[in-house]
Amino acid sequence: MFTESEGRELAAIPKMGNPRSEWLQERPNTHTNAFGVTDELGRTIEGMYAEFEVFTSPNLKITTYLFTLYRKIKKGDQERIYQLEINLAKGIRPTDHRYSHEHYGEPSFKADTTWASASFQDAERRFCTNTNLTLSSELPDYLSLYLR
């Protein structure tokens, strides 16, 4: 795992990303949009990719945003550079493991009240700011999968 300083250093590299036009649904209630990233000149940053994952459970009234910047280390292995996890379930307290938090490398940092229950757009904005990622287009609405 990356240390906090390694995670912050890799997250600070300016990068560009081109989200998929549709979310993939490989597991029930989980939608994923993952893509590689490039530098400002359009060159692939080898092994680095962003993954936006949204888990929704209408029956349990839970929504979780899990946005991660990874670097593939070797075939099949990856390490987390930065991760933002927003849990919108009712009743989660700041002392709970599932409380909203972020990681730079391995260390975890609990959310403060300004972003603990962020909207999808605010979570996307925070992730992109904290990873210095510019998207070529907005992420599509993950709820559109339910409207088909």
Side-chain angles (χ1 to χ4, degrees):
M1 278 289 187
F2 290 115
T3 65
E4 177 185 353
S5 62
E6 290 169 328
R8 288 183 185 275
E9 184 178 321
L10 289 167
I13 296 170
K15 55 194 79 67
M16 309 288 287
N18 186 19
R20 296 176 180 271
S21 59
E22 292 188 5
W23 292 83
L24 300 177
Q25 187 174 7
E26 297 171 349
R27 294 176 286 158
N29 301 321
T30 303
H31 317 296
T32 305
N33 195 318
F35 47 89
V37 297
T38 62
D39 66 16
E40 294 174 306
L41 299 175
R43 298 175 299 205
T44 298
I45 301 176
E46 186 153 348
M48 195 177 290
Y49 68 99
E51 180 179 83
F52 292 79
E53 188 174 87
V54 179
F55 170 79
T56 57
S57 177
N59 293 341
L60 299 175
K61 298 183 180 164
I62 295 172
T63 300
T64 301
Y65 308 131
L66 186 65
F67 301 164
T68 310
L69 180 65
Y70 288 110
R71 175 163 254 172
K72 290 182 184 175
I73 303 303
K74 58 184 176 179
K75 190 170 182 126
D77 288 339
Q78 62 197 17
E79 288 192 14
R80 175 181 57 215
I81 296 169
Y82 173 82
Q83 185 174 72
L84 176 67
E85 182 171 344
I86 306 289
N87 287 301
L88 301 177
K90 293 193 186 294
I92 295 179
R93 297 179 305 273
T95 55
D96 294 341
H97 174 73
R98 289 183 38 234
Y99 188 74
S100 297
H101 61 280
E102 62 189 347
H103 295 266
Y104 281 97
E106 177 66 18
S108 176
F109 305 94
K110 294 285 184 187
D112 64 38
T113 57
T114 63
W115 61 272
S117 58
S119 68
F120 178 83
Q121 290 80 12
D122 288 342
E124 177 185 347
R125 193 169 17 262
R126 182 177 183 84
F127 178 84
C128 289
T129 297
N130 290 352
T131 59
N132 205 5
L133 173 64
T134 301
L135 299 178
S136 62
S137 61
E138 288 185 19
L139 285 161
D141 183 1
Y142 66 91
L143 292 174
S144 65
L145 287 171
Y146 291 114
L147 302 176
R148 291 183 187 177

